[in-house]
Every structure is written in C-alpha cells, then in structure tokens.
C-alpha cells in the first residue's frame, strides 16, 4: 500500500512537470541572421513572439515570430495608432508564394472582412522582409513613430491562403483574442477587453470536463484495476475508487450542463460529434452510478455478469472521454500548451497503467506459484503420513 501511495505521488509530480515544461520563452532565441534584439515578449495566443529594439528617438526595430505554422498560411502583426481594435490597424503581412519565395508588405486595415490589400501605413516602415523555416514565419521591419509613443495597441493574426491570396482568418477562439497593448519600455504586454462571457463559459466547460471525464475517471479505473491485488489495500481501494468516480461524475455533470447552456445560447453553431459523445458519456456515467445500487454480492451467481458489464462500460467511458476532450480542444483552439499538457497527462496515465499492469501480473503469477507450491508440499506430506500409518498398522 505504501508503495502504491508513493507511486501516486510520483505520478502527480510528473503531471505537474508536464504542465509546466511546455512554457516557452523567447529570451534566448537565436536568429539565423545573427540579429540581436534586446527585448522580447511572448504574446498570449497564436504561438507568437515579438522581439524588438527601441530607442527614445522613436525608432522601433521588430521581429514578429509566429511558430507552428505551415507554408499555406499568412501571418500579420499590426499597430493601431488610434484605437484598441482591428479596424484602423497598420499591418505588416507575410506569407510564402507558390514558387517558394516570401512576400512581405504593408496593409492598412480599414474594415472587417479585409483581404489584406497592399497599401502605405500611417508611419514609416523600412527594412521589411520575412523568412519561413522550421514551420516558423518571421517578419522583420523597422518602424518610425514621430510622436514617440511608448505604449502601443498591437494586433497579430494568421489565416489560410488560396493560391497566392490571403483568406479571411477564423472568427473564433484565439483569432478573436489576438490583440493587446505593449509597453516598449518595460516589455509588459497586456490584453484588451478581456474574455467575453461566452468564452469564459467555454473555458469553464473545458476545464470541468477535462478534469472529470479526462483525468479523474481514468484515475479511478487505475485505482480499481491495480490496487485491489494488494490484500492490505482491501477495502480501501474500493472506497478510493468509488470516491474518485463519484467526484468525477459530479464535476462531469456540471461540465455537461455548461455545454448544454452554451448550446442553447449559440443557435446555428453545432458540433455534432462532440455533442453526441458528450450525451453518450453522461448516459453511461449515470448508468454506472445507478448500477452500484443493484450490485450483487461477491458470491452471487450473477456477480460475474455484473463485473463484465461494469468493466466494459467503464473502459468505454474512459476511451470516449479522452476522444471527446481532444474534440473539445479542437473546437476551443486554445494555445498549444494546453493541448500538449493534456497529451502529457494521457501519456502519464497510460505509462502508469502499463507499468502497473506488468507489476500486477508479476504479483498474481508469483502468488499462484506460491499457492501451487504450498498445495504440492501439503500433498507430499500427507502421502508420507499415510504411508507411515499404513506401515504401522501392518506391523
């Protein structure tokens, strides 16, 4: 039992490490062109970084770096001198042409649904260029500000290409959150407007379901599968299993309810597969909870059938939960850090299950060998005893 608790502690520590190891930094990034920038900031969404040099004369040298992107997409970084919005932004745009060369140009954003037409900006731009390598687009430019503003309203974006023509970017998830402020002196980046009520509900929905269906449910299954082989863990393993699964169900119902609320508030927006799997999970989870009320006693003749049903439904819930969480991540489109973190959690749970499965079989086989050896020893001793008694009787 102590070993299992120690293993659980190591598992928790490993998960914490997974959650933090994906945090990216830009301070030590080395540009292939040997350019050096004194300041940098990790922008909140869209896997983007801004490196820059600024002097008090109003000269701003920047390198906007967008990672994890393929060659069939465009990227842009912009400053809005007049307001905290997309319209009015003065953008630097870059993408790879069909012949493999890079195009970088300026585009003033005058309306929504823009096609990013080329045009002059309201401030000077020089040394504009772009590179694409290792799934990363970098825009280089030098900007001039006559009014010496040190706090900027910045917007950054990415979208698909059709041939050599930029298309409209997505209008949900990180693509509507990619704006903020930047203090050129301190390097501090802030957000504009915060998250909407719907986005906050989506975040709550995602976190509740990831924790309940995606972590607690599989963890409860691992407890039931592997703790019960230890005689010293009986009946503690059952109460741990039941508590973990019941907690997962309660939190999962709360997450499921927020999903229903989001659906009712978003007419015309449907994610059929995600919704269907969610309903199936709720039904199976509810069935598992009520099945405990009719659980036969261990020596009952129907107990084996109940066990088969309970295990089958439980493993089905675990598999569907992981699938649906990844579907939810694809819908919400959070930073890759969150998806990578959950992948790390799944890998940690899977590796723990694999190790515990091997260790469980080792214990079971060793126990069977011990029992077989005990029976054989008892049989031999019994046979010897009977032979002595028979000999004595004959005498």
């Amino acid at each position: 039992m102590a070993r299992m608790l120690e293993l659980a502690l190591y598992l928790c520590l490993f998960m914490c490490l997974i959650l933090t190891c994906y945090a990216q930094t830009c301070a030590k990034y080395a540009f292939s062109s040997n350019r050096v920038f004194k300041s940098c900031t990790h922008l909140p969404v869209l896997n983007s970084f801004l490196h820059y040099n600024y002097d008090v004369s109003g000269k701003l040298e920047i390198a906007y770096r967008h990672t994890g992107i393929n060659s069939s997409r465009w990227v842009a970084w912009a400053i809005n001198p007049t307001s905290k919005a997309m319209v009015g932004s003065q953008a630097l745009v870059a993408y790879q042409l069909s012949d493999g060369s890079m195009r970088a140009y300026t585009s003033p954003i005058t309306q929504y649904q823009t096609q990013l037409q080329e045009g002059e900006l309201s401030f000077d731009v020089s040394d504009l260029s772009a590179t694409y390598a290792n799934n990363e687009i970098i825009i280089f430019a030098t900007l001039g500000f006559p009014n010496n503003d040190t706090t900027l309203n910045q917007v950054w974006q990415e979208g698909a290409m059709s041939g050599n023509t930029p298309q409209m970017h997505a209008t949900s998830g990180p693509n509507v959150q990619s704006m903020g402020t930047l203090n050129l002196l301190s390097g501090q980046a802030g957000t504009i407007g915060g998250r909407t009520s719907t986005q906050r509900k989506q975040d709550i929905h995602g976190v509740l379901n990831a924790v309940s269906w995606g972590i607690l449910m599989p963890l409860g299954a691992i407890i039931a599968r592997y703790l019960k082989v230890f005689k010293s863990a009986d009946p503690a393993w059952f109460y741990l299993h039941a508590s973990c699964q019941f907690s997962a169900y309660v939190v999962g119902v709360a997450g499921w309810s927020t999903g229903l609320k989001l659906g009712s508030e978003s007419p015309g927006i449907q994610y059929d597969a995600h919704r269907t799997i969610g309903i199936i999970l709720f039904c199976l989870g509810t069935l598992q909870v009520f099945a405990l009320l009719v659980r036969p006693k261990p020596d009952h003749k129907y107990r084996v059938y109940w066990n088969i049903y309970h295990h089958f439904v439980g493993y089905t819930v675990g598999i569907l939960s992981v699938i649906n969480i990844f579907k939810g991540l694809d819908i919400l489109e959070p930073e890759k850090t969150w998806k990578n973190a959950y992948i790390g959690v799944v890998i940690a749970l899977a590796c723990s299950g694999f190790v515990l499965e091997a260790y469980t079989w080792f214990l079971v086989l060793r126990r069977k060998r011990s029992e077989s050896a005990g029976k054989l020893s008892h049989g031999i001793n019994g046979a010897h005893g009977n032979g002595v008694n028979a000999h004595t009787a004959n005498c």
Side-chain angles (χ1 to χ4, degrees):
M1 185 65 180
R3 285 186 178 179
M4 295 302 296
L5 293 176
E6 184 179 358
L7 181 60
L9 178 60
Y10 285 138
L11 176 60
C12 292
L13 292 175
F14 179 71
M15 288 180 180
C16 292
L17 179 63
I18 288 292
L19 290 171
T20 57
C21 71
Y22 291 98
Q24 298 185 53
T25 178
C26 59
K28 297 182 179 180
Y29 184 83
F31 290 90
S32 58
S33 56
N34 294 323
R35 300 192 190 193
V36 177
F37 296 88
K38 296 179 181 178
S39 303
C40 69
T41 182
H42 181 183
L43 302 178
V45 293
L46 294 180
N47 303 306
S48 299
F49 304 83
L50 183 69
H51 305 251
Y52 64 92
N53 294 321
Y54 175 73
D55 61 46
V56 293
S57 66
K59 178 182 176 182
L60 177 65
E61 183 182 6
I62 68 103
Y64 169 71
R65 187 162 60 93
H66 194 118
T67 64
I69 194 167
N70 60 47
S71 59
S72 61
R73 301 187 73 79
W74 58 265
V75 304
W77 180 82
I79 292 174
N80 193 327
T82 58
S83 66
K84 299 177 179 180
M86 185 186 84
V87 175
S89 296
Q90 309 293 295
L92 309 176
V93 185
Y95 53 83
Q96 189 178 61
L97 297 170
S98 55
D99 63 4
S101 62
M102 292 296 297
R103 185 188 180 199
Y105 65 95
T106 58
S107 176
I109 309 301
T110 58
Q111 62 181 2
Y112 291 103
Q113 306 292 329
T114 178
Q115 295 298 312
L116 296 175
Q117 294 86 354
E118 185 172 0
E120 293 186 358
L121 304 187
S122 62
F123 47 79
D124 294 333
V125 179
S126 60
D127 303 324
L128 179 60
S129 63
T131 63
Y132 176 74
N134 301 319
N135 294 325
E136 182 176 87
I137 294 180
I138 305 177
I139 301 176
F140 297 98
T142 301
L143 316 178
F145 301 103
N147 55 356
N148 294 334
D149 284 337
T150 58
T151 299
L152 307 177
N153 301 319
Q154 62 174 338
V155 181
W156 61 100
Q157 196 56 262
E158 58 97 12
M161 297 287 297
S162 177
N164 289 329
T165 304
Q167 302 298 300
M168 182 63 186
H169 64 76
T171 55
S172 64
N175 293 85
V176 295
Q177 304 163 20
S178 53
M179 60 179 67
T181 58
L182 174 64
N183 188 308
L184 295 173
L185 299 181
S186 66
Q188 183 175 2
T191 57
I192 293 177
R195 296 178 63 73
T196 65
S197 174
T198 298
Q199 289 171 339
R200 286 194 294 270
K201 289 177 183 177
Q202 289 175 335
D203 292 342
I204 293 171
H205 170 72
V207 170
L208 289 176
N209 285 300
V211 171
S212 59
W213 302 105
I215 297 177
L216 289 178
M217 279 285 183
L219 188 60
I222 288 175
I223 290 172
R225 169 71 177 168
Y226 302 112
L227 273 186
K228 65 181 179 181
V229 299
F230 297 91
K231 294 180 179 180
S232 60
D234 192 25
W237 72 265
F238 173 77
Y239 295 112
L240 283 173
H241 168 68
S243 299
C244 193
Q245 300 301 77
F246 183 73
S247 299
Y249 177 74
V250 172
V251 177
V253 169
W256 184 71
S257 301
T258 58
L260 293 179
K261 181 66 174 176
L262 284 168
S264 65
E265 293 177 352
S266 308
I269 300 177
Q270 290 189 2
Y271 303 100
D272 293 332
H274 184 65
R275 179 175 178 269
T276 301
I277 295 176
I279 293 174
I280 292 173
L281 284 172
F282 171 75
C283 294
L284 292 179
T286 303
L287 197 62
Q288 285 285 73
V289 171
F290 283 100
L292 291 175
L293 302 177
V294 295
R295 183 176 60 135
K297 293 182 178 180
D299 56 349
H300 196 281
K301 63 179 180 179
Y302 292 124
R303 178 58 180 261
V304 63
Y305 302 110
W306 187 92
N307 286 340
I308 293 172
Y309 143 79
H310 186 65
H311 294 162
F312 175 77
V313 173
Y315 292 137
T316 301
V317 167
I319 294 171
L320 289 179
S321 297
V322 173
I323 292 173
N324 215 30
I325 286 168
F326 280 112
K327 286 188 174 294
L329 288 169
D330 290 339
I331 293 169
L332 290 178
E333 296 181 330
E335 284 190 84
K336 286 188 176 180
T337 302
W338 294 102
K339 188 171 185 178
N340 290 340
Y342 185 66
I343 290 173
V345 170
V346 172
I347 291 174
L349 290 171
C351 291
S352 300
F354 178 79
V355 171
L356 290 171
E357 183 73 21
Y359 186 60
T360 299
W361 276 105
F362 169 75
L363 288 180
V364 170
L365 293 176
R366 187 176 69 174
R367 191 175 297 164
K368 286 184 176 180
R369 283 197 299 266
S370 298
E371 291 175 354
S372 298
K375 289 180 179 178
L376 181 61
S377 175
H378 179 73
I380 293 174
N381 291 335
H384 287 171
N386 290 336
V388 171
N389 290 338
H391 179 74
T392 302
N394 290 331
C395 289

